[in-house]
Amino acid sequence: MSRAISLHQLSKTYGRSVQAVDRVSIDIDPGEFLVLLGPSGCGKSTVLRMIAGLEDITSGELLLDGEYSNHLPPGQRGMAMVFQNFALYPNMTSRGNIGFPLRFEAPDEDSGPRVEATARMLGIGDILDRYPAQLSGGERQRVAMGRAISRRPSVFLMDEPLSNLDAKLRNHLRSEIAHLTRELGVTTVYVTHDQSEAMSLGDRVAIMRGGVLQQVSRPREAYGLPANVFVAAFIGTPRINLLQAVVHAPLGGPMVIDLGRQRLRLPQPLSTDHQLLRIQQGRQLVVGLRSEAVRIAPPSQAGPGEVAISGLVEHMEYQGHEALVHLNTGSVPAVVPDLESPRPAEQRRRRSAPSGGLLTRLKERTVTQLAHTLPRAEEPPTAHAGGPHDPDRPRLSASDLVVRTGPDLRLRTGAQVPLLVDLAHLYVFDHHGRRICPAPTEQPGFDMDPA
Ligand code: ADP
């Protein structure tokens, strides 16, 4: 009933120069719920549309149940698609809309029982005789899903199906989709730019950036073991703290991670992961600390694997169940390019610019250095100019570290607070943005290089 979908080095180029999807390989199991996640313009919908047969494949292979299917007509793929802009027929009731595909798929069958069973499943049995104009946004989206479900497809393809709905309804329908797709056991590929939606829905999440697959893994691994700095920054709220850093490993002395004004002294004997940092000595690195990896407490309370630093309170963000403390530790934040991707038109323009042009490269370099960004993989950093120790380096933001605390803690702006960093939850990324601590394990099927 449900299908296996394999993408092998799938690419899509629009016109001569817009590389929307670049050699994406993923094997999706029958019945699996896979989420394609990434900023807008990264190629998610294009992948989905190639699976659906709505977009020609430029190169690579699409296999359905192991069969080469690049040129299989959309109608023969057994797939149903749900879009963001759910277009219902305005002159048909919900019943008519849900039953519409059955007119062609099962013309001899009485569609009534199937429509009613589908409506019951979606909790919309009481609105079957209403027209779209008489429905709320959530009800309309349920009818659209009903239309997809009633066909009993072997694959659901969903393209941001909830993004037109308000937050409350989105959360509600999100859990219904999770429940329903698993109950039906249908392979589902779901596109979203919303990381919390991806994390809560997917059996696995495939994270894309600029047409390139960055990581495919279960949500827990994507959060806990991000393959690179882009994935680390894209997943998790509040965003992971990313600080520019340099490792010093003097002979006979303790190894330290230098964050500019403060140092993390690594405990001896070094863990295997920390030993691997030795070879990065002196290079520009990025340290990643999630807001729960740092706590406000004096050095005397440090547990094993915790090291002390301190910070000045910039401001507090009260969240009800917790508070976020924004601190200044004197470190230089690392900024990750592409997190908020440019508008499509801008991106098309950028992509169509001659890539090797001197002017383009000069412009990119200037932007990269001014914005303190991590260099892109194809542009190695120039020596240590602008590193954390460069006194001429301008500061962009006063707060460089966000720490999570209980909701009742009250701190004065400007107060100096002691901090404990949990080294077991410390990430280090190399100058290409690849995670080097904890040491990476190879993941088959995709290129870890974020270039
Ligand atoms: P996402 O779904 O991640 O927002 P898309 O797959 O829609 O991204 O688009 C990926 C890239 O391909 C974008 O840069 C977009 O501008 C470009 N693109 C999409 N469709 C076309 C098209 N028909 N012609 C030219 N470029 C396109």
Side-chain angles (χ1 to χ4, degrees):
M1 174 70 182
S2 65
R3 310 196 94 161
I5 305 171
S6 291
L7 319 180
H8 288 172
Q9 301 276 306
L10 213 61
S11 294
K12 175 73 190 180
T13 312
Y14 288 108
R16 287 211 193 130
S17 53
V18 180
Q19 179 88 51
V21 176
D22 190 1
R23 286 164 291 164
V24 165
S25 296
I26 315 175
D27 289 317
I28 307 166
D29 291 331
E32 184 176 6
F33 196 122
L34 181 98
V35 180
L36 291 171
L37 171 70
S40 137
C42 74
K44 309 176 294 291
S45 299
T46 305
V47 170
L48 199 75
R49 291 168 61 80
M50 286 194 282
I51 296 174
L54 301 175
E55 205 73 74
D56 288 339
I57 294 168
T58 308
S59 64
E61 288 183 346
L62 169 74
L63 306 182
L64 299 177
D65 292 331
E67 303 249 332
Y68 178 81
S69 305
N70 284 32
H71 306 294
L72 195 66
Q76 290 175 28
R77 297 186 186 206
M79 300 180 177
M81 204 153 171
V82 184
F83 296 97
Q84 173 180 352
N85 299 311
F86 30 94
L88 298 178
Y89 297 106
N91 55 345
M92 277 186 205
T93 59
S94 305
R95 188 188 302 279
N97 268 290
I98 295 174
F100 187 74
L102 302 177
R103 287 196 200 170
F104 309 97
E105 302 221 339
D108 302 328
E109 188 186 315
D110 171 16
S111 64
R114 238 211 255 188
V115 169
E116 266 150 40
T118 304
R120 262 200 308 279
M121 207 181 274
L122 288 161
I124 48 172
D126 52 338
I127 56 160
L128 279 178
D129 296 318
R130 289 205 218 148
Y131 289 89
Q134 300 168 312
L135 303 175
S136 70
E139 287 166 340
R140 277 204 289 271
Q141 189 60 322
R142 272 176 229 224
V143 174
M145 286 189 44
R147 197 162 66 185
I149 293 170
S150 70
R151 296 175 51 193
R152 300 199 189 136
S154 50
V155 174
F156 281 131
L157 301 176
M158 304 199 187
D159 194 348
E160 308 253 9
L162 305 181
S163 54
N164 278 348
L165 306 175
D166 65 55
K168 198 167 157 221
L169 196 56
R170 213 162 45 223
N171 285 342
H172 183 64
L173 276 186
R174 187 195 285 184
S175 55
E176 280 187 9
I177 288 180
H179 177 71
L180 201 70
T181 49
R182 278 164 183 101
E183 192 176 281
L184 295 168
V186 174
T187 315
T188 304
V189 186
Y190 186 105
V191 161
T192 183
H193 64 276
D194 178 341
Q195 58 91 27
S196 73
E197 196 164 288
M199 299 291 273
S200 65
L201 275 175
D203 292 323
R204 282 188 306 159
V205 181
I207 301 123
M208 293 183 65
R209 172 201 196 183
V212 179
L213 191 60
Q214 305 291 302
Q215 179 166 0
V216 191
S217 53
R218 284 189 289 273
R220 195 175 285 273
E221 286 159 16
Y223 184 82
L225 289 172
N228 58 45
V229 76
F230 174 82
V231 174
F234 199 76
I235 289 180
T237 314
R239 187 172 286 179
I240 191 171
N241 299 292
L242 294 170
L243 306 173
Q244 300 202 10
V246 177
V247 167
H248 299 299
L251 271 180
M255 189 150 99
V256 295
I257 299 178
D258 188 343
L259 298 175
R261 229 176 271 162
Q262 314 215 30
R263 296 176 155 214
L264 303 175
R265 193 177 154 138
L266 301 179
Q268 304 277 359
L270 291 172
S271 68
T272 321
D273 283 329
H274 294 163
Q275 279 169 27
L276 293 173
L277 291 176
R278 194 180 291 280
I279 52 171
Q280 300 288 340
Q281 198 176 167
R283 295 195 188 142
Q284 177 96 57
L285 303 173
V286 171
V287 155
L289 288 169
R290 297 222 182 259
S291 56
E292 62 270 22
V294 185
R295 65 188 178 107
I296 297 173
S300 58
Q301 288 181 15
E306 280 186 321
V307 291
I309 58 170
S310 66
L312 286 178
V313 177
E314 289 286 337
H315 67 276
M316 295 211 38
E317 208 181 312
Y318 178 66
Q319 302 266 321
H321 64 295
E322 63 177 11
L324 302 174
V325 189
H326 294 250
L327 296 151
N328 181 342
T329 66
S331 311
V332 181
V335 180
V336 185
D338 293 347
L339 269 186
E340 259 64 71
S341 61
R343 278 163 287 140
E346 204 174 307
Q347 197 173 43
R348 266 201 291 281
R349 225 177 18 250
R350 212 169 47 170
R351 284 210 170 109
S352 56
S355 57
L358 180 63
L359 191 63
T360 315
R361 271 186 286 142
L362 273 177
K363 266 193 204 155
E364 280 181 0
R365 182 153 302 161
T366 314
V367 169
T368 303
Q369 290 185 350
L370 277 181
H372 295 185
T373 57
L374 244 194
R376 288 160 177 278
E378 66 270 24
E379 261 189 273
T382 47
H384 293 298
H389 308 288
D390 183 348
D392 296 332
R393 192 176 184 107
R395 299 286 319 282
L396 281 183
S397 140
S399 147
D400 52 50
L401 191 79
V402 177
V403 174
R404 215 170 230 161
T405 67
D408 299 327
L409 186 71
R410 295 229 166 82
L411 294 169
R412 205 171 27 83
T413 298
Q416 173 104 19
V417 290
L419 302 168
L420 295 176
V421 175
D422 179 1
L423 293 176
H425 290 103
L426 170 98
Y427 300 99
V428 183
F429 303 94
D430 70 8
H431 71 296
H432 289 300
R434 290 175 293 218
R435 194 190 80 232
I436 51 174
C437 174
T441 45
E442 284 304 314
Q443 274 205 45
F446 76 98
D447 184 2
M448 288 244 307
D449 196 323

